[in-house]
Amino acid sequence: MSNLLEIKNLNKVFVSRKSKTKAVNNVSLSLPGDKPITLAVVGESGSGKSTLANLVLDFIRPTSGQILYQGKDLSALKGKEHNAYRREVQAIFQNPFDAYNPFYTVDHAFKQVFDHFDFSLSKEEQRALVEENLRLVKLDPSQVLGKYSYQMSGGQLQRILVARALLLKPKLLIADEPVSMIDASLRVTVLDVMVRLKKELGISQLYITHDLSTALQISDEIIVMYKGCVVESGRAEDVILHPVHPYTQLLIQSIPIASPEEKWQDAPAAEENKNPQAGQEACCFSHRCPYYNSQCAKGQPELIPWKGDHKVSCYRYQNSPGKENGS
């Protein structure tokens, strides 16, 4: 069985009059077709996470590389096949408040879906389907339908967007920072909905986030990106609890400790120009890496197996997979 989604050596370069920016640099990943999983893509702002999401959603086209959906190249999908992709791959964005026209009730968000896609349903059947999907995301239809977006919380609005996506029976959800603009008290509810969609409806998810705690909470696998490159990947527990790459270790160290007795200090190696001798062709993390040496100037190291499915892109581990070589 082919993978649901497979990305091969994907690159995206943005060109301006003064510079070229490699937003996505030789990224490869896959989501299996035989079971639903949540794959988290984590990293700081500017790491290429959202650009990767936009490429998968076909909002922008790659400079090179392939995106395969159920074995078919996304760039080759036309007509009905491309419309099917639009239905089966749905997006949940960061800011739910921007997704609604304040002059309409939230019902309009569902109406747009029915108007755009052929459902062949009566008005009563459409209403019943909307109510069914609202209940799936833990919303009472009588409490939200007929209301305006400014009358509801961010958590409610985000779950309405999920319910709208469910109308199309998607196989893949692209969730780009879906809880970052929601009150902390409501994040658990939204994340719980995402977990249930995977377990009960079999919907795989590409979860874009900078929040390592939520990535650990709901994800099966994680890839860590820095400056467009994948620097570490593997099972969520392995990557978060046993980080190998110095950038991932830096991210973990930067998480505030929930204790008033512990002082929060910046993690080491946070300076962008710690190693000014590192050239432009060096490893993407070489300018900040505390372990920089001449080998790092050769270019971006390959993503190699560390332990099991845990992989890392770092010259420190190239010679001795599974055991730090101390270089």
Side-chain angles (χ1 to χ4, degrees):
M1 185 175 184
S2 62
N3 287 318
L4 177 65
L5 179 74
E6 187 172 6
I7 293 175
K8 295 182 176 181
N9 308 115
L10 197 65
N11 292 278
K12 180 60 181 179
V13 179
F14 292 104
V15 181
S16 68
R17 303 178 82 180
K18 295 184 178 180
S19 65
K20 292 183 179 181
T21 302
K22 251 186 185 179
V24 173
N25 187 358
N26 199 36
V27 170
S28 297
L29 60 85
S30 64
L31 295 173
D34 58 348
K35 64 176 182 179
I37 73 165
T38 298
L39 172 63
V41 182
V42 305
E44 62 192 53
S45 297
S47 61
K49 308 186 303 297
S50 292
T51 300
L52 180 63
N54 288 331
L55 286 165
V56 174
L57 288 166
D58 202 26
F59 292 164
I60 56 176
R61 291 298 176 96
T63 303
S64 63
Q66 284 184 299
I67 301 173
L68 304 176
Y69 179 70
Q70 295 183 326
K72 296 183 179 181
D73 194 318
L74 178 57
S75 65
L77 297 183
K78 306 294 182 184
K80 291 182 178 180
E81 285 187 327
H82 193 264
N83 288 338
Y85 182 81
R86 290 291 193 195
R87 291 186 70 137
E88 295 173 9
V89 180
Q90 289 292 302
I92 306 297
F93 296 111
Q94 180 176 10
N95 190 346
F97 301 97
D98 284 348
Y100 298 87
N101 187 326
F103 292 100
Y104 294 99
T105 65
V106 296
D107 306 48
H108 187 68
F110 298 103
K111 182 179 182 299
Q112 287 179 306
V113 177
F114 289 121
D115 289 346
H116 188 72
F117 294 94
D118 181 18
F119 279 80
S120 300
L121 298 175
S122 67
K123 295 295 184 181
E124 292 76 16
E125 290 171 327
Q126 291 179 9
R127 174 81 180 197
L129 183 58
V130 168
E131 292 181 354
E132 177 187 346
N133 286 328
L134 285 171
R135 293 189 187 97
L136 282 174
V137 298
K138 296 185 176 181
L139 286 173
D140 182 347
S142 66
Q143 298 296 315
V144 296
L145 293 178
K147 291 190 175 181
Y148 294 89
S149 58
Y150 56 78
Q151 295 176 299
M152 284 179 280
S153 69
Q156 288 175 310
L157 295 177
Q158 197 67 292
R159 281 181 285 161
I160 291 172
L161 293 179
V162 175
R164 181 180 69 170
L166 293 180
L167 289 177
L168 298 166
K169 300 187 183 301
K171 295 180 179 179
L172 175 61
L173 276 182
I174 311 296
D176 190 356
E177 301 276 12
V179 296
S180 64
M181 298 191 68
I182 298 175
D183 290 345
S185 60
L186 298 172
R187 291 180 185 179
V188 174
T189 303
V190 175
L191 293 173
D192 181 60
V193 166
M194 293 177 64
V195 172
R196 288 179 56 239
L197 294 181
K198 181 187 71 175
K199 291 182 177 180
E200 298 176 13
L201 300 181
I203 301 174
S204 289
Q205 296 161 32
L206 195 64
Y207 176 48
I208 314 294
T209 185
H210 65 276
D211 189 335
L212 295 174
S213 61
T214 62
L216 177 60
Q217 180 182 346
I218 73 166
S219 302
D220 302 292
E221 299 176 9
I222 288 179
I223 66 171
V224 181
M225 292 187 68
Y226 181 75
K227 287 190 174 181
C229 300
V230 176
V231 297
E232 190 163 352
S233 68
R235 293 173 58 249
E237 294 85 354
D238 293 338
V239 174
I240 299 298
L241 302 181
H242 307 286
V244 180
H245 194 278
Y247 174 63
T248 312
Q249 294 171 349
L250 176 63
L251 285 178
I252 302 298
Q253 293 173 36
S254 299
I255 298 174
I257 299 173
S259 172
E261 299 177 358
E262 296 286 344
K263 186 178 180 181
W264 181 23
Q265 296 180 342
D266 287 337
E271 317 92 48
E272 178 61 28
N273 294 311
K274 183 179 181 67
N275 303 305
Q277 71 274 29
Q280 290 186 349
E281 299 303 318
C283 166
C284 67
F285 192 60
S286 59
H287 293 84
R288 297 173 66 179
C289 186
Y291 307 107
Y292 176 81
N293 59 43
S294 58
Q295 192 178 24
C296 304
K298 296 178 180 179
Q300 185 63 29
E302 294 182 4
L303 200 65
I304 62 165
W306 171 243
K307 291 180 180 179
D309 295 329
H310 196 168
K311 297 180 180 179
V312 61
S313 172
C314 182
Y315 286 112
R316 297 177 71 210
Y317 309 101
Q318 293 273 323
N319 298 326
S320 303
K323 182 179 180 181
E324 187 173 322
N325 62 26
S327 61

